[in-house]
Amino acid sequence: MSLTETPPSPIHVLRTHKDPVNTLFCSRDNDKIYSGDAKGRIVISSTRSLRPIADWLAHTDSILGVEELGQSQIITHGRDNKIHVWERPEESVAIRQAGAATLAESSAPTLCYSMDVNALNYCRFSLLPLNENSALLAVPNLVESSLADVWTLPSRQRLHAAIGNSQNAISKFSDGRAGNKTGIIMAMRLFHLPSTSVANGELCLLCAYEDGGVVLHRRMVPEGTQTIEGRGWEIMWRSKLHVESVMAMVVAKDNSFALTVSADNLIGKYDLTSGRSEIASPGTVFRTKHPGNGAVAIRDDGRVCAVGGWDGRVRLYSTKSFKSLGTLVHHKQACQALTFTSPSDVRAHEAVGDDEEDMTPQEKLQRSRWLITAGKDARVSIWGLMSFEKRL
């Protein structure tokens, strides 16, 4: 059975980069694809015209992450130990009609502000929006790469310092392991876990480490309270499923579970709603036939995941049974980034001043089923997937 409604090949291939593409992000309205490469360039491409809206050198080293911040800004993270916040550019009619040939370095958006961060361990930021104008930002600690800090935006004030310092964290573990025994943080996710006792949910930080383990940290102090040296945080659980370093981690949209991949042939799944059990492991391991994985993404409904391999292939699985849903073959080198578009009920922004660019409901539905992949071959590929309803 075909993976897509057409033969299993990309429906579009964007060749806007000349260097390996490390990170991808798709806007919630499915209008823009953000891609960042190994030389520090960011390209914003329109999903309507499939042409660049902006293309500029955002950092002096490889891009670790890019994401929208509210409705008017974007945040970028580079290996140059910098995080930049930019004004979000929009696609003009002139760019849509003329295409990439009109873009130059002048297409760089306005820089709003910057932060110094520690990018030693290739771990990208985790952004948690609070409202339209503010957010929390988790990054590796400025000094110790096995610990994490949480900052407030746009104030750029450090709210929580050195999360993961086991000597000061509240924990029932008796093994006495210090934070640096896990090795450096490889991936992190800051999120609110629904709670009956906390109105906005409990603030949690999920960290994946160099030793192949994953730890869930929970804030114990009241919201807005500043903490240092890892105090005020509880270690809810530890789980070590991988025999190699975790290369990528993703959390489902509803924060119910997380997935990790590594150089080994394992996929780790972690129940984020399992409570504070210190005995039973919240993790379940699934063995595949394919070692060497560097990227993972979960569809918004939480039922399908995609895993990017060092062999360039993208493998699709059911997140419940981990039954294979097929393999996408296009990239000639390692697939390093992938992302699903959002469901069709997310309202797409209508093009301004060009009625021919407005999309029909069917076109919006098709675009909501895209999987976007990128890799060392410098290509960004767009795949039109089926719903998989009969196979899940």
Side-chain angles (χ1 to χ4, degrees):
M1 184 175 181
S2 175
L3 288 173
T4 63
E5 296 175 358
T6 56
S9 58
I11 57 174
H12 304 293
V13 177
L14 307 181
R15 295 176 173 84
T16 50
H17 291 272
K18 297 180 180 179
D19 299 288
V21 179
N22 302 324
T23 187
L24 290 170
F25 178 79
C26 187
S27 61
R28 294 299 302 168
D29 57 18
N30 295 337
D31 263 5
K32 301 178 183 67
I33 298 171
Y34 297 80
S35 52
D37 68 29
K39 289 296 180 67
R41 300 198 72 85
I42 296 285
V43 177
I44 307 175
S45 302
S46 167
T47 60
R48 295 174 178 270
S49 64
L50 299 175
R51 294 170 174 170
I53 299 169
D55 178 351
W56 79 103
L57 189 66
H59 293 267
T60 59
D61 207 334
S62 180
I63 301 295
L64 296 176
V66 58
E67 192 169 330
E68 289 185 343
L69 176 57
Q71 297 293 323
S72 60
Q73 295 179 327
I74 56 175
I75 180 171
T76 63
H77 185 187
R79 278 276 292 164
D80 56 2
N81 300 303
K82 294 286 187 180
I83 280 181
H84 298 314
V85 175
W86 313 79
E87 288 185 4
R88 191 181 73 176
E90 298 297 334
E91 182 180 22
S92 67
V93 174
I95 291 177
R96 190 159 59 239
Q97 292 176 344
T102 64
L103 288 179
E105 196 61 38
S106 60
S107 71
T110 301
L111 179 63
C112 301
Y113 58 88
S114 300
M115 290 176 56
D116 292 323
V117 294
N118 170 20
L120 174 67
N121 39 340
Y122 294 87
C123 176
R124 62 155 287 169
F125 66 87
S126 177
L127 186 71
L128 177 61
L130 300 178
N131 53 51
E132 179 56 34
N133 300 314
S134 64
L136 296 179
L137 179 77
V139 289
N141 179 259
L142 287 169
V143 177
E144 177 52 65
S145 295
S146 65
L147 307 177
D149 294 340
V150 175
W151 298 73
T152 59
L153 297 179
S155 64
R156 287 171 283 171
Q157 298 296 313
R158 187 160 61 172
L159 183 61
H160 304 293
I163 301 168
N165 186 333
S166 298
Q167 296 177 350
N168 294 322
I170 301 170
S171 175
K172 297 179 181 178
F173 290 106
S174 59
D175 58 11
R177 285 183 289 174
N180 58 11
K181 296 294 181 63
T182 61
I184 62 177
I185 298 175
M186 303 296 290
M188 58 173 59
R189 174 64 183 269
L190 189 67
F191 64 98
H192 280 123
L193 191 64
S195 170
T196 56
S197 59
V198 182
N200 297 325
E202 297 176 324
L203 184 65
C204 295
L205 180 66
L206 188 69
C207 293
Y209 293 92
E210 187 179 16
D211 73 342
V214 174
V215 177
L216 180 62
H217 306 273
R218 181 176 73 100
R219 183 178 64 184
M220 299 291 291
V221 297
E223 183 176 352
T225 303
Q226 191 172 18
T227 65
I228 60 172
E229 298 178 349
R231 295 184 173 90
W233 286 76
E234 175 188 33
I235 298 175
M236 296 183 68
W237 49 255
R238 303 180 194 265
S239 181
K240 188 173 184 297
L241 303 180
H242 293 282
V243 297
E244 301 284 351
S245 299
V246 174
M247 298 305 298
M249 178 176 69
V250 63
V251 173
K253 184 181 179 182
D254 64 0
N255 299 326
S256 61
F257 70 95
L259 300 177
T260 56
V261 295
S262 175
D264 55 34
N265 66 326
L266 310 176
I267 300 176
K269 183 178 181 180
Y270 311 84
D271 182 2
L272 301 182
T273 64
S274 60
R276 302 179 183 84
S277 172
E278 304 274 1
I279 301 175
S281 172
T284 304
V285 67
F286 297 90
R287 300 182 182 276
T288 73
K289 299 178 181 179
H290 311 286
N293 298 301
V296 59
I298 301 173
R299 200 170 68 179
D300 269 18
D301 64 2
R303 303 179 68 191
V304 176
C305 71
V307 175
W310 293 350
D311 58 2
R313 301 194 174 199
V314 177
R315 296 175 175 89
L316 302 170
Y317 299 94
S318 159
T319 59
K320 182 178 180 180
S321 64
F322 279 86
K323 172 185 175 182
S324 174
L325 300 176
T327 302
L328 305 176
V329 182
H330 173 72
H331 294 284
K332 304 300 183 183
Q333 300 180 60
C335 177
Q336 302 184 134
L338 32 76
T339 185
F340 288 93
T341 52
S342 298
S344 58
D345 60 353
V346 176
R347 183 182 62 85
H349 290 298
E350 298 296 330
V352 177
D354 191 347
D355 293 337
E356 292 183 358
E357 289 291 330
D358 291 348
M359 293 188 300
T360 67
Q362 180 61 28
E363 289 172 329
K364 292 180 181 180
L365 176 61
Q366 291 175 350
R367 191 169 60 164
S368 73
R369 291 178 177 171
W370 284 2
L371 173 66
I372 305 165
T373 65
K376 280 190 174 182
D377 58 6
R379 294 183 179 183
V380 176
S381 303
I382 300 173
W383 308 79
L385 302 182
M386 62 188 291
S387 68
F388 296 111
E389 283 302 315
K390 297 181 178 179
R391 303 186 63 186
L392 295 175

